[in-house]
Amino acid sequence: MTEGGFDPASLVQSWPKPSKPRPIVTFGAGSIVGDAHFPAYRKAGFPIAGLYDPDQAKATTLADKWGVTAFRSVGEAAALQDAIFDLATPPGRHAEILKDLPDGAVALIQKPMGNYLGEATEILEICRAKNLKAAVNFQLRFAPMMLALKDAIAKGWLGEIVDFDAWLALATPWELWEFLLKAPRVEIAMHSIHYLDLIRQLLGDPKGVHAKTLGHPNHKVAQTRTSAILDYGDTVRCALSINHDHKFGRRHQACEFRICGTEGAAYLKLGLNLDYPRGEPDILEIHPKGGTDWIAVPLAGEWFPDAFVGRMANVQRFASGEDDELVSSVEDAWSTMALVEAAYRSSAAPATLIAERP
């Protein structure tokens, strides 16, 4: 126990495991599956039945590495009884896979929930029509540091949240995701969407957003830099400054959040994004209500792969009735997509003009 009664070891950092996990069938054989999904599921003891990818050679290579089945078609993969269907597919492919799942199936859909809000709405309607128990893989909510932060806020150690700053200055290897190199929407839709979703969980839905997202003259990726302000009225200030083109060595790179309340504050370093996918250790420090200094919270794991463990654990437990809430359900995730859409609309709109000198 520390000054003021704050005990960092008491903060919740993991999601309860399901008592009888169902087998997982994954659609997609991209880097995210080998780097995060499968390592997380194997670490947690979740059974991996197999995977399907239209690139059979790619699917077989990954399946052999993990000792699982490489299904030969979507239909074969979707036929497995009582499975959790894990869609690690590009956003434009989610809808067609969901249509092929059995009615009433349980699915975890990789973010984003479609390329545009219209696609997100189509996915939502498919899930409603087929009665799918579906969530979107906004796994940052389940990272040990974020679970601990949420618990600290819920216990009152920060007071009322009044400031949220996200600051990124780093070099992201976009070439790891080939489909992104020609995508029309990249930075907000594929990366900062994690932060927008987390902010929604912590602060609720904003009234609106001011944003500008753009590319860089040194490459052709559609957008890799974003500035955004979320409007929460006259009490809460929320700002994001994102630069994925800070390619000048590690010394002055950063990937961090600063969250201030009326009585305490939190600092987080998201180590994964620094030297992705190897990353650096995550950091959470809290200046608690009644305290006089910053206190490091010993973390029980990292964003990758531990957040994927918690994300799948909630899906599994909801399917079995052990959890009452499906976190980031398609109903809730649609609102994150609406915020993303609003940010792109803001970016495309003219800025407020400055008056000319008379």
Side-chain angles (χ1 to χ4, degrees), residues 8-358:
S10 71
L11 298 177
V12 173
Q13 294 193 32
S14 63
W15 203 267
K17 300 285 183 62
S19 57
K20 294 182 180 179
R22 298 186 184 188
I24 299 168
V25 173
T26 297
F27 293 91
S31 63
I32 194 67
V33 178
D35 292 340
H37 289 234
F38 282 4
Y41 303 157
R42 190 59 53 82
K43 177 179 181 178
F46 299 155
I48 305 171
L51 62 93
Y52 168 75
D53 193 285
D55 186 334
Q56 282 289 293
K58 189 176 181 180
T60 299
T61 298
L62 188 60
D64 289 347
K65 178 180 178 180
W66 289 91
V68 301
T69 299
F71 296 110
R72 293 167 293 180
S73 67
V74 172
E76 183 184 7
L80 192 70
Q81 295 293 313
D82 295 322
I84 303 292
F85 296 105
D86 182 31
L87 276 64
T89 42
R93 300 292 303 277
H94 296 337
E96 62 187 88
I97 299 294
L98 292 169
K99 289 176 183 177
D100 285 334
L101 298 184
D103 289 356
V106 182
L108 178 59
I109 305 165
Q110 183 59 270
K111 61 81 191 164
M113 189 178 163
N115 288 301
Y116 302 91
L117 188 60
E119 291 183 1
T121 301
E122 180 189 8
I123 288 169
L124 180 61
E125 291 173 346
I126 292 169
C127 292
R128 287 173 173 174
K130 295 177 65 65
N131 194 30
L132 301 179
K133 298 178 180 67
V136 176
N137 200 346
F138 288 125
Q139 19 59 31
L140 182 58
R141 294 189 183 201
F142 293 86
M145 59 181 166
M146 297 306 176
L147 291 174
L149 171 67
K150 185 170 182 274
D151 194 31
I153 292 172
K155 290 174 176 174
W157 290 114
L158 276 64
E160 180 185 356
I161 303 303
V162 292
D163 277 288
F164 189 111
D165 281 300
W167 178 39
L168 277 70
L170 41 72
T172 297
W174 298 105
E175 65 277 4
L176 292 178
W177 305 278
E178 186 176 351
F179 74 97
L180 290 182
L181 300 182
K182 296 182 179 179
R185 290 183 170 186
V186 178
E187 204 292 310
I188 298 175
M190 300 302 300
H191 186 93
S192 287
I193 188 172
H194 280 300
Y195 314 142
L196 297 177
D197 180 72
L198 180 78
I199 291 167
R200 283 190 57 247
Q201 184 188 37
L202 297 178
L203 301 178
D205 288 313
K207 297 178 180 179
V209 59
H210 307 276
K212 182 66 177 181
T213 187
L214 63 162
H216 193 281
N218 286 350
H219 57 70
K220 295 183 179 179
V221 180
Q223 308 95 27
T224 53
R225 297 176 293 161
T226 298
S227 295
I229 299 172
L230 275 59
D231 183 359
Y232 282 99
D234 296 333
T235 302
V236 177
R237 183 188 65 88
C238 181
L240 298 87
S241 178
I242 316 290
N243 178 10
H244 294 272
D245 293 285
H246 197 280
K247 301 179 179 180
F248 309 103
R250 175 64 184 87
R251 182 175 177 182
H252 292 301
Q253 290 182 341
C255 186
E256 55 195 37
F257 293 171
R258 287 176 174 83
I259 300 158
C260 300
T262 53
E263 299 180 271
Y267 167 86
L268 300 96
K269 185 183 88 170
L270 288 68
L272 172 69
N273 291 331
L274 299 163
D275 192 24
Y276 183 91
R278 182 173 58 184
E280 299 177 5
D282 294 329
I283 292 174
L284 170 60
E285 296 181 1
I286 293 179
H287 195 296
K289 174 184 177 180
T292 58
D293 203 353
W294 290 91
I295 298 170
V297 177
L299 295 174
E302 306 289 344
W303 182 358
F304 279 37
D306 298 284
F308 290 79
V309 172
R311 172 66 280 185
M312 178 55 74
N314 171 243
V315 172
Q316 293 266 3
R317 286 173 59 87
F318 184 79
S320 66
E322 293 175 282
D323 275 0
D324 294 330
E325 179 192 3
L326 181 59
V327 179
S328 296
S329 70
V330 287
E331 300 287 341
D332 178 68
W334 186 92
S335 295
T336 293
M337 293 299 297
L339 176 53
V340 167
E341 191 74 22
Y344 277 107
R345 290 202 311 270
S346 175
S347 183
T352 301
L353 297 179
I354 302 170
E356 295 183 6
R357 183 180 301 148

